Amino acid sequence: MNDFAPTVGVASTHPKNMPADHAALPVWNAENWFYEDWPVGQKIRSLRRTMAEGDSHLFNTLVLDIHPYVQDQMLAESEGIFGKRLIAGAFVFSAGLGLVATNCVNAFSYGYDKLRFIKPVFIGDTIYSIRSNLDKTPRYKEMGLIRASYEVFKGEGELVLYCEHLQTVKYRNPADFAGKTEK
């Protein structure tokens, strides 16, 4: 059994540029898990989030997505293959992953694989996400590679998006991985 339990933001709770009594408080929603703390097979589920029209417009404005299927109600209803406006896939991806994202100060995004938009998401649909830790591999001298799947569902469990997220995560004890890394 691991003697080190994941903690909340300990590594980031003592900034020198704020009052000491504020810096001593634990940081909410910031973890300092190390590679050794990520159990393969662990699954977590998010809260649900309804995809609102205003959020969709704001996202589309920020990323300059003016595709008529996401911006033009009349066209989407009269000529679109779904008969109504879509939520942009990039927004479903961002919101879906954000629902189960951690703010781990020792983890860094390495990239995404197998991203698939399986079903459309429409304005007013409610989504939730499940993250599953798939595997981990010692990779670098100071960090290992963790692979997790993200499944985004809408409604009562209809899968709409799948991807795998690769993250590099610092080792608690790099010496434990000497000679076991790929690079």
Side-chain angles (χ1 to χ4, degrees), residues 164-177:
E164 294 178 4
H165 187 195
L166 303 169
Q167 292 178 284
T168 51
V169 183
K170 289 170 54 177
Y171 304 125
R172 176 180 291 105
N173 298 307
D176 293 347
F177 298 93

Side-chain angles (χ1 to χ4, degrees), residues 2 6 33-44 131-136 146-148:
N2 189 346
W33 302 323
F34 289 91
Y35 176 83
E36 296 89 332
D37 299 322
W38 294 70
V40 172
Q42 178 190 49
K43 292 183 177 221
I44 59 172
R131 176 193 162 115
S132 303
N133 292 343
L134 299 175
D135 56 51
K136 60 186 191 177
I146 291 173
R147 186 170 59 96

Side-chain angles (χ1 to χ4, degrees), residues 93 97 104 106-112 145 165-169:
F93 172 75
L97 273 60
C104 182
N106 297 319
F108 311 93
S109 188
Y110 188 78
Y112 295 91
L145 192 63
H165 187 195
L166 303 169
Q167 292 178 284
T168 51
V169 183

Side-chain angles (χ1 to χ4, degrees), residues 55-91:
D55 296 333
S56 178
H57 277 300
L58 180 59
F59 182 87
N60 294 344
T61 300
L62 289 171
V63 300
L64 303 175
D65 183 351
I66 57 170
H67 192 284
Y69 277 18
V70 299
Q71 290 292 90
D72 185 335
Q73 182 73 29
M74 292 173 64
L75 181 126
E77 287 178 351
S78 65
E79 299 177 39
I81 62 172
F82 301 110
K84 54 186 170 180
R85 282 193 351 246
L86 296 169
I87 298 289
F91 183 31

